[in-house]
């Protein structure tokens, strides 16, 4: 099954890749934002949880690519938040027993926009947003030394467009 995805658009062609393992059944869904949000609700009501997420812009509109796993219950997606709102949502959901399992960013000429998925859980998670590669590597090294693992990672640059 796919366990993570990466999506981008180059010269008008969407390109989507992923990593795989052989356990539960997952399905890839690629839709424009409004349709993707509806699909999240429909699949969640049917017991399918979103486990991976990415997005791309095709020059006309933002698309989302997501992996839904059968039989794991609802996930909580957030599509389109500035950093402050993303952090606040993460904090609120953490207190309510939800843990971020995947996130991605997009850029449309302004500040980075965050998209994420939360699943129920009791394990500890830390949201780390670092300004550059060396700070990120230092933070990852520190967390590995604490026997923690990275569950999601993405990159962005201020003012970029994708």
């Amino acid at each position: 099954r796919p366990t993570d995805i990466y999506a981008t658009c180059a010269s008008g062609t969407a390109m989507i890749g992923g990593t795989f393992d052989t356990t539960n059944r997952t399905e890839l869904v690629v839709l424009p934002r409004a349709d993707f949000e509806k699909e999240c609700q429909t699949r969640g009501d049917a017991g399918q949880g979103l486990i991976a997420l990415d997005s791309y812009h095709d020059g006309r509109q933002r698309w989302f690519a997501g992996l839904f796993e059968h039989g794991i219950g609802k996930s909580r997606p957030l599509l389109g938040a500035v950093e402050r709102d993303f952090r606040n949502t993460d904090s609120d959901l953490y207190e309510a027993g939800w843990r971020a399992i995947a996130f991605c960013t997009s850029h449309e000429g302004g500040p980075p926009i965050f998209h994420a998925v939360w699943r129920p859980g009791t394990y500890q998670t830390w949201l780390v947003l670092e300004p550059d590669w060396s700070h990120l590597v230092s933070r990852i090294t520190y967390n590995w030394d604490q026997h923690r693992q990275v569950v999601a990672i993405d990159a962005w640059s201020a003012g970029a467009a994708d």
Side-chain angles (χ1 to χ4, degrees), residues 14-77:
M15 294 176 277
I16 301 170
T19 55
F20 300 84
D21 84 29
T22 58
T23 57
N24 295 339
R25 190 172 136 223
T26 59
E27 290 183 52
L28 173 65
V29 174
V30 182
L31 294 167
R33 179 182 175 159
D35 295 334
F36 191 84
E37 289 175 324
K38 290 177 194 169
E39 191 71 12
C40 286
Q41 182 64 45
T42 300
R43 287 178 178 264
D45 291 345
Q48 297 177 31
L50 185 61
I51 62 166
L53 175 71
D54 207 349
S55 78
Y56 64 91
H57 199 281
D58 70 358
R60 296 181 307 271
Q61 64 183 331
R62 175 133 321 265
W63 289 74
F64 287 87
L67 293 174
F68 290 86
E69 186 169 322
H70 290 258
I72 65 169
K74 284 188 177 186
S75 300
R76 300 277 304 259

Side-chain angles (χ1 to χ4, degrees), residues 25-160:
R25 190 172 136 223
T26 59
E27 290 183 52
L28 173 65
V29 174
V30 182
L31 294 167
R33 179 182 175 159
D35 295 334
F36 191 84
E37 289 175 324
K38 290 177 194 169
E39 191 71 12
C40 286
Q41 182 64 45
T42 300
R43 287 178 178 264
D45 291 345
Q48 297 177 31
L50 185 61
I51 62 166
L53 175 71
D54 207 349
S55 78
Y56 64 91
H57 199 281
D58 70 358
R60 296 181 307 271
Q61 64 183 331
R62 175 133 321 265
W63 289 74
F64 287 87
L67 293 174
F68 290 86
E69 186 169 322
H70 290 258
I72 65 169
K74 284 188 177 186
S75 300
R76 300 277 304 259
L78 171 69
L79 306 180
V82 295
E83 182 180 342
R84 180 194 71 246
D85 294 340
F86 171 69
R87 285 181 178 274
N88 289 340
T89 297
D90 183 62
S91 179
D92 292 346
L93 289 175
Y94 188 92
E95 291 299 317
W98 293 79
R99 302 298 184 256
I101 62 162
F103 83 99
C104 65
T105 59
S106 62
H107 324 277
E108 294 182 31
I113 303 299
F114 293 81
H115 318 283
V117 179
W118 288 263
R119 299 262 321 128
T122 56
Y123 45 89
Q124 285 190 303
T125 59
W126 291 266
L127 174 63
V128 176
L129 303 174
E130 295 295 345
D132 56 46
W133 182 251
S134 63
H135 284 93
L136 180 62
V137 169
S138 175
R139 184 66 68 110
I140 289 171
T141 300
Y142 170 79
N143 281 290
W144 279 344
D145 289 346
Q146 302 299 312
H147 304 286
R148 300 173 185 155
Q149 59 182 294
V150 175
V151 295
I153 193 167
D154 200 7
W156 70 88
S157 63

